[in-house]
Amino acid sequence: MSNDYRHLWKDLGLNLENHDALLNVLGKMYGDIFMSQKSRPAKTAYLDFVMSEVHGLRIKELVDGKKQGKKVIGTYCTFVPEEIVLAANGVMVGLCAGADFATEAVEKYLPRNLCALIKSTFGFKLGGVCPYLEASDMIVGENTCDGKKKAWEVFKGLVKNLYVMDMPQTKNEQAKTILRAEYRKFKTAIEKLTGNTITVEGLKKAIAVVNAKRTVIHRLSALRAADPAPISGLDSLLINQIFFYEDPVRFTGQINELCDELEARVRNKAGVAVPKTPRILVSGCPMAVPNWKIPSIIETSGAVIVGEESCVGERGTRNLVSDAGDTVDALVDNLVDRYLKIDCAIFTPNSERLDHIREMASRYKADGVILYGLQFCTPYSVEALGIEKELEKQGIPAIRIETDYSQEDVGQLKTRIQAFIERLQG
Amino acid sequence: MSNDYRHLWKDLGLNLENHDALLNVLGKMYGDIFMSQKSRPAKTAYLDFVMSEVHGLRIKELVDGKKQGKKVIGTYCTFVPEEIVLAANGVMVGLCAGADFATEAVEKYLPRNLCALIKSTFGFKLGGVCPYLEASDMIVGENTCDGKKKAWEVFKGLVKNLYVMDMPQTKNEQAKTILRAEYRKFKTAIEKLTGNTITVEGLKKAIAVVNAKRTVIHRLSALRAADPAPISGLDSLLINQIFFYEDPVRFTGQINELCDELEARVRNKAGVAVPKTPRILVSGCPMAVPNWKIPSIIETSGAVIVGEESCVGERGTRNLVSDAGDTVDALVDNLVDRYLKIDCAIFTPNSERLDHIREMASRYKADGVILYGLQFCTPYSVEALGIEKELEKQGIPAIRIETDYSQEDVGQLKTRIQAFIERLQG
């Protein structure tokens, strides 16, 4: 990344030495994992560009916007409605972190036995390496899992302007009431922060923008049903990751162009792997940049990933928001309806998730399902046992993989995943 | 235990072979840990009797009651209001389990990285060794932590008549609404199960019975403030454990008599340890029978425990329910007010807990605080870090201890706890 950004990073208060170290690792990882892929669609050049400028051009855009009065809202969860932020002329960026950083410092604030994603969130703050976090005028935490819920109490002391959104634990009528109250409260907080009143027209426009971004992901997902798969799981995951911080309109346009190319590939039976390559559905915990460990192992072991049942994937993007309604409250209710359909494991019961996994496996012609869990993520690890049993019972091969962000278990994971892929070929 | 009970256990569907093994271990543990204590109050004979008949006489009482139409409601949490059960002429018993059992079978249903308490709950069911569970006409789970919330989804398939109570995650007005709705729903379910309508009079009487049971614990706690301590922490913990399944009226009478004896002891400056023995407050996760590991290590290392900031302890017993009100709904609101004061780590924020720990340390003249956590219990383990720092900052020595139900770490724990006690003496 260009040296011109160093002033920008310094002004944001980053630790330049740590940040250089992170960028070096990130750059090398990206090169090793993404640039070594064969038969990538030409349009993945967009992804390469976005990633090369992930702490550069995009941050400059945010900072330039801030100078013109735009507010940046940093989030950690698919339950924070981007529509409300956009309707108040704000920018929403995902802050979840996918690499171990400053672990020793983190463990002064959090127990060791906590999921890597939360620890990484703290590490990126304590290490001073996340320009998105430092550029955020408001940081939104949410009471989803125990780990996050309790971590926000500590995080509050490390950042300025942490806003915590409560969440229901069920999906009954009461849950709807809770989420409705929280979304209305959030709307008020965003209006206060930005100084902009959210109007029916503005919210409808925002709904259209976010729906469009989701729709292009639906288009991409449908194209991946083809055999041979026209794009790798790694590149598709990256698209789902970029989804969280790229400008939404630009993202939609660029991914639509990529889909045009993929459509031609499907017509020409061109793909990233030979036909009949074992096809994997990955299901479970979210994967934040640069957590590419499992997909990279899978796709260098003779299989191709054809879908992600994940918050960073179809769980997060599958449903659209209705724009029917003549009041802001009615539109907020539409948001509640849409977001409460997300089948996150924090809900009880959450049996829709198994239905969705089966549906995805069938739609994308997956030969097997890898249930991916972050160590110490209780909601997903409890669900994984039952889902694995149920899938196997229905003739869909499944395997549970639990890991963290370290590289220590790569050899062992490779062995298990290769054995699973061999089973699919047999 | 008498052989006459074998028919009873068989009729309840226990696995007699497993159950014999459990009783043998339990009996030996109790002998080693409790009967070896010096200068026990004479009235602890009541505790010895209750424990010797824990799977005998008390179960016979429950079964005899069932024959006369009484219903038994088994629970796992201090948030389930016993008042409602008593008001419908039901019996409430605690089911939490404090020992590893049938671990291999458990791990077919639950991930390894789950707290010992939840795994033990499953183990006692899968091993067929808990007569309380098997005698329960309704089993009440609650959406407190992620582990329990998700475990109930699996437990539902292992027991009949599991009732799940939702819980709020905060303590705002909305939280009150949630708990109110849940308690009303619970009241209706209990009325349906028992066939008895809950009246104002009945509920007031039940409130009085449970308040009396709590009040005697308050009396006990206050007496433990004396130096020398008139009763051990182990016996006090056992009283708090028995609190959950003994007949409440008998319990109150017996513990009041014990307190009479302790009062005389305090007057005569008699105690279980010499004056100036280091005094410890234990704070954290609940300890279910027979989880006596940490208290036993502490009290055989030259210290005495003077308070338990725990669900099985003062967190669970400290506040009374007001009986002001002329309608059942008004009285249920009083229950909501009282139970929502419980400063469980599932709530966010939960800063009252730190206040309560400090208050207890001062009231019971503790020299130090041991923050006890079950491994993989995220809510308490996240809180423990901040609380440890805060207490130390205020000059109250504190140490975090994380463990499970195994005996493997006893040597290591002894070394750490002894070093902590030496620090208190220095």
Side-chain angles (χ1 to χ4, degrees), chain A residues 108 111 114 143 145-147 149-150 153 167 169-170 174 178 181 345-348 376 378 381 383 385 389, chain B residues 108 111 114 143 145-147 149-150 153 167 169 174 178 181 345-348 376 378 381 383 385 389:
Chain A
K108 283 182 187 145
L114 202 70
N143 295 339
C145 61
D146 285 343
K149 177 171 77 177
K150 298 306 288 183
E153 297 173 11
M167 286 290 302
Q169 310 200 64
T170 67
Q174 186 135 281
I178 297 173
I346 62 149
F347 293 104
T348 187
F376 310 123
T378 301
S381 72
E383 282 198 358
L385 267 107
K389 265 188 226 167
Chain B
K108 284 182 187 144
L114 202 70
N143 295 339
C145 61
D146 285 344
K149 177 170 77 178
K150 298 306 287 184
E153 297 173 10
M167 285 292 300
Q169 310 201 65
Q174 186 135 280
I178 296 173
I346 63 149
F347 292 104
T348 187
F376 311 123
T378 301
S381 72
E383 283 198 358
L385 268 108
K389 265 189 226 168

Side-chain angles (χ1 to χ4, degrees), chain B residues 14-79:
Chain B
L14 294 196
N15 178 323
L16 292 187
E17 198 181 325
N18 284 353
H19 189 242
D20 284 345
L22 178 73
L23 286 191
N24 281 340
V25 173
L26 193 62
K28 190 178 172 335
M29 271 180 82
Y30 190 79
D32 290 348
I33 294 175
F34 283 85
M35 305 310 280
S36 66
Q37 294 180 98
K38 289 194 182 92
S39 321
R40 286 177 93 200
K43 190 65 201 178
T44 54
Y46 163 66
L47 307 179
D48 298 341
F49 178 73
V50 168
M51 281 309 291
S52 73
E53 290 291 343
V54 63
H55 281 200
L57 204 55
R58 182 64 180 139
I59 296 300
K60 193 173 174 313
E61 270 184 348
L62 294 182
V63 171
D64 288 347
K66 280 161 73 83
K67 282 178 192 155
Q68 289 157 31
K70 253 188 189 286
K71 297 294 177 183
V72 177
I73 286 86
T75 66
Y76 292 99
C77 183
T78 47
F79 279 103

